[in-house]
Amino acid sequence: MAIRCIKGITILDMDGRRVCAKYFDPKLSKDEQQRQFESKIFAKTKNMSSQDEAEVIMLAKNIVVFRNPADVFFYVIGDEEGNELIYAALLDALFDAVSGLLRGVVEKQTILENLELILLTLDELVDSGIILEISPADIQNRVMMKNDRGEDTSAAAEYSAPQSFGSRLMNAFT
């Protein structure tokens, strides 16, 4: 199995339209190719129910693992020689991280309203087809810019710490 085993991750609505997607396979580099592939995936999976666990299909020399929790379908597309258990673990990590970030409301409207969090989640999961992380808690913390203790690590927190220390110091002498 190649290191770069993930070809893409996509989220489609109940009509097969793209909500969000990220592709790593050069064969799917153009938008038209991606949309054709997504329509094939959707046509094959639209009548399958997989709310609680991942389902696996083969399509055009790809392993596609998917899940449809509500009014959206989550897909992980991998190499045909890859391991579907790894793809399923990645899909579960994606879904659990998104579910946690969206406070359990994994619906199209909520995903669109929080698209920046979803895109950051995809960035934390996979980079150039290489799986980076599959721990939903770690992914959520990185997306929300928190460390493993839940403390804010954003630039704003780093900026405000010296400011509040400085103001406390000034108040101590006045």
Side-chain angles (χ1 to χ4, degrees), residues 14-70:
M14 293 302 282
D15 297 320
R17 291 187 301 253
R18 181 186 302 173
V19 175
C20 177
K22 190 163 188 176
Y23 288 93
F24 311 103
D25 185 3
K27 295 176 185 172
L28 294 171
S29 62
K30 295 183 180 168
D31 190 57
E32 184 179 323
Q33 295 166 323
Q34 294 170 5
R35 302 246 183 222
Q36 288 175 352
F37 188 73
E38 290 167 1
S39 66
K40 289 178 187 176
I41 291 174
F42 185 73
K44 193 162 184 177
T45 61
K46 67 182 177 184
N47 295 323
M48 300 171 80
S49 177
S50 62
Q51 291 183 347
D52 297 325
E53 60 184 44
E55 294 287 334
V56 181
I57 62 167
M58 290 290 295
L59 181 68
K61 296 188 177 186
N62 297 294
I63 295 175
V64 179
V65 183
F66 73 98
R67 185 172 178 178
N68 64 323

Side-chain angles (χ1 to χ4, degrees), residues 3-131:
I3 291 178
R4 297 174 194 262
C5 61
I6 304 301
K7 293 184 174 186
I9 298 174
T10 187
I11 302 172
L12 304 178
D13 68 11
M14 293 302 282
D15 297 320
R17 291 187 301 253
R18 181 186 302 173
V19 175
C20 177
K22 190 163 188 176
Y23 288 93
F24 311 103
D25 185 3
K27 295 176 185 172
L28 294 171
S29 62
K30 295 183 180 168
D31 190 57
E32 184 179 323
Q33 295 166 323
Q34 294 170 5
R35 302 246 183 222
Q36 288 175 352
F37 188 73
E38 290 167 1
S39 66
K40 289 178 187 176
I41 291 174
F42 185 73
K44 193 162 184 177
T45 61
K46 67 182 177 184
N47 295 323
M48 300 171 80
S49 177
S50 62
Q51 291 183 347
D52 297 325
E53 60 184 44
E55 294 287 334
V56 181
I57 62 167
M58 290 290 295
L59 181 68
K61 296 188 177 186
N62 297 294
I63 295 175
V64 179
V65 183
F66 73 98
R67 185 172 178 178
N68 64 323
D71 63 346
V72 291
F73 284 81
F74 286 75
Y75 296 96
V76 171
I77 302 116
D79 187 70
E80 70 177 329
E81 295 177 10
N83 186 329
E84 64 247 19
L85 295 176
I86 292 173
Y87 301 151
L90 181 66
L91 178 67
D92 288 342
L94 169 63
F95 178 77
D96 292 344
V98 167
S99 181
L101 290 167
L102 301 181
R103 294 177 171 78
V105 185
V106 184
E107 297 174 347
K108 179 182 176 182
Q109 186 63 35
T110 311
I111 290 172
L112 290 173
E113 289 170 357
N114 296 281
L115 192 57
E116 72 282 356
L117 296 177
I118 306 308
L119 293 172
L120 287 170
T121 300
L122 294 178
D123 287 342
E124 291 297 331
L125 278 166
V126 179
D127 184 29
S128 301
I130 301 169
I131 299 171

Side-chain angles (χ1 to χ4, degrees), residues 129-152:
I130 301 169
I131 299 171
L132 300 176
E133 182 65 67
I134 60 168
S135 167
D138 289 346
I139 294 164
Q140 288 176 34
N141 284 337
R142 287 188 188 128
V143 167
M144 298 306 292
M145 299 179 100
K146 295 183 177 182
N147 63 18
D148 57 355
R149 295 183 302 272
E151 299 166 337
D152 193 356

